[in-house]
Amino acid sequence: MHFLKILQNEHIKIYKKTGTWIIIGILVTLLLGFAMLQKYVLDNGDQSNWRNQAEARIAQMEEGMERGPDIEAGREAMGKEIAIQQYRLDNDLPPVAADSLWGFMIDATNFTAIATLFTIVIAAGIVASEFSTGTIKLLLIRPVRRGKILLAKFITTMMFALFMLILLFGFSYIIGLAFFGSTGSQLPYLTYTGGEVVEKHMAGHIISLIGFRSIEIIMMATVAFMISTIFRSSSLAIGFSIFLMFTGPQIVQLLSQYDWVKFVLFANTNLMQYVDGTPVVEGMTMSFSIVVLLIYFFVFLVSSWVIFKQRDVAV
Amino acid sequence: MTQPIAQIINVKKSIGNTPIIHGITLDIYPGEVFGFLGPNGAGKTTMIRMLVGLMKMSEGEIYIQGHHIQRDFEKAIAHVGGIIENPEMYSYLTGLENLKHYARLTPKDIPKKRLEEIIKLVGLEKRIHEKVKGYSLGMRQRLGIAQALLHSPSLLILDEPTNGLDPAGIREIRQYIRRIAHEENLAVFVSSHLLSEMQLMCDRIGIIQHGRLIRVEKIQDLVSKDIDLTVELKASPIEKAFQLLNDRSWHPKKKGSWIELTVSEEEKIPELAELLISNQVKLYQIYSNVQTLEDTFLELTREES
């Protein structure tokens, strides 16, 4: 399969760069630093009186329910919370402590933002750097259509995103185990579905957390890839994508009273809003968001492809 | 007549509204080194980029081994190897890794033996495992030639191949280009603005100016347009030499300690030497001045503008 060789080339070009390994090193170092912070610096409180805390929480929620929240969704969330806390008390299941393996891994899923950042850097460079170094000329005078080269580069970017997520999960497990041991690792994750509390495996919960976050990685990497292909500038692609990544969700929140906001990319990237939260615009559903995301995804890819194919290479 | 390897048929290119190439038609044949000569900005690089499919022509057709460069890109380009301007490589990879990278982009398998052969040919055996970062310009140029020849193309395109090389390197590349063209029956398309270089390297030359091909000629025809040779000589005693030449109507002119005269053909030069020597004149130096391509080139482009 000739395409596999092209794919191999693109992988070699990424992993032979020192910068890539620095990125990976930074990710691991940040995880280590966070683990040390969690273990030696932060005070995580006493976990032994979790029962009292759970009871207090239930009382607080019930009081809130009586006062009657204005929004239906708020009432529902409180109901779920009460059910889960009650289940803990009934079945003697303490909540996950921050300085335990699962607690650390759950917190570490927030590092997907950093993984996204690094994936943007790679996506922004993969096409633009061939232009800025001039290597694009020798790359495109081979018996391979331009579309194939671009596809190989895109797949390589996605593989890198996946690699970052696997690293994140793998290292947060290893570091978590090394720092906090395996105590409490038998604790299940409690979720409220279909009117009752269900016990699920914690690792599955963490993977699904990362899975939801990966949508953002894929979309942001695709944006960076598109800008990199169209403008042939990796710094522009990095700058613009990171700017969007940080401001996009905020702007969407600000404008959430307008109905059209639901068609904006950033109103849809966070699918967690349908699992435990409220959608940005009322009436949005998971399947609506998936369709919007797919449309954006293909528009980004097709525009990269059209531009890359048509372009006169004059570097 | 043999089949041309590349056919360029009335190719035009405009960028925006500015026409860059105004209709170039040209055939390139196997076994020849074709020199594409023109001042900077004449459109050489644009033409070469269209020839390898990096740019699209606005009008006209280009066929390589009968395959259209745009409509049948993969088949056409499979016969082409080249360096476009500087041989830019991945500096963080070694020379060998770079070559392997290009080898993987060819659908047919390139055996290890071929790689070794090419590396030896360009004389990079000792440094091939080093990163390209540390290569000199000459070494990069040679690695560039290696990647261009890897898949045994029938058309080799070299855009300013001697750019940045020292005289020894230039000579080496020149000899090498001539050898592969003639031995392997390869068509070589070389562009340059260095006229003296082209004169020594090419069989045929096309002169491009302002996007037009103003002349295509065999190198001999282009160089020997002017058959009068200017001869300069240094002899002692100079007065006696001058007298001798004057008596036999060679029409000598004195130029300091030199005597200058014009002869109609090369055969006259030994005749001249014999005359002086047999009359006990000491002959120190004698040389003839062929009109160079440079003169022709300047003349041609002057006419045009």
Side-chain angles (χ1 to χ4, degrees), chain A residues 77-102:
Chain A
M78 285 180 190
K80 283 185 193 175
E81 177 80 27
I82 292 170
I84 288 174
Q85 295 294 354
Q86 194 57 54
Y87 190 89
R88 287 197 187 289
L89 291 171
D90 297 348
N91 294 280
D92 194 27
L93 292 171
V96 169
D99 56 353
S100 70
L101 174 62
W102 294 139

Side-chain angles (χ1 to χ4, degrees), chain A residues 2 5-6 8-10 12-14 16-18 130 133-146 148-149 153 309-315, chain B residues 13 49 52-56 73-74 77-78 80-90 92-93 97 100-102 104-109 131 147 151:
Chain A
H2 189 213
K5 287 189 181 177
I6 305 171
Q8 185 190 355
N9 268 350
E10 293 307 326
I12 288 173
K13 284 187 269 184
I14 284 188
K16 283 271 178 178
K17 266 185 197 149
T18 330
E130 300 266 9
T133 58
T135 47
I136 189 77
K137 291 178 291 186
L138 292 184
L139 182 65
L140 293 186
I141 59 166
R142 308 287 146 183
V144 180
R145 268 180 283 126
R146 289 189 187 184
K148 269 194 202 168
I149 301 256
K153 285 188 177 295
K309 222 173 149 51
Q310 290 307 115
R311 159 158 291 139
D312 273 350
V313 177
V315 286
Chain B
K13 175 75 181 175
R49 280 163 199 264
V52 296
L54 285 177
M55 283 185 166
K56 303 199 162 37
F73 176 73
E74 283 166 294
I77 205 74
V80 181
I83 304 180
I84 314 299
E85 285 180 317
N86 306 312
E88 285 115 342
M89 302 277 175
Y90 301 99
Y92 52 92
L93 300 181
E97 283 167 345
K100 283 184 172 167
H101 168 265
Y102 293 115
R104 279 186 215 104
L105 289 166
T106 311
K108 62 176 179 192
D109 260 330
K131 289 205 166 142
Q147 65 77 28
H151 52 294

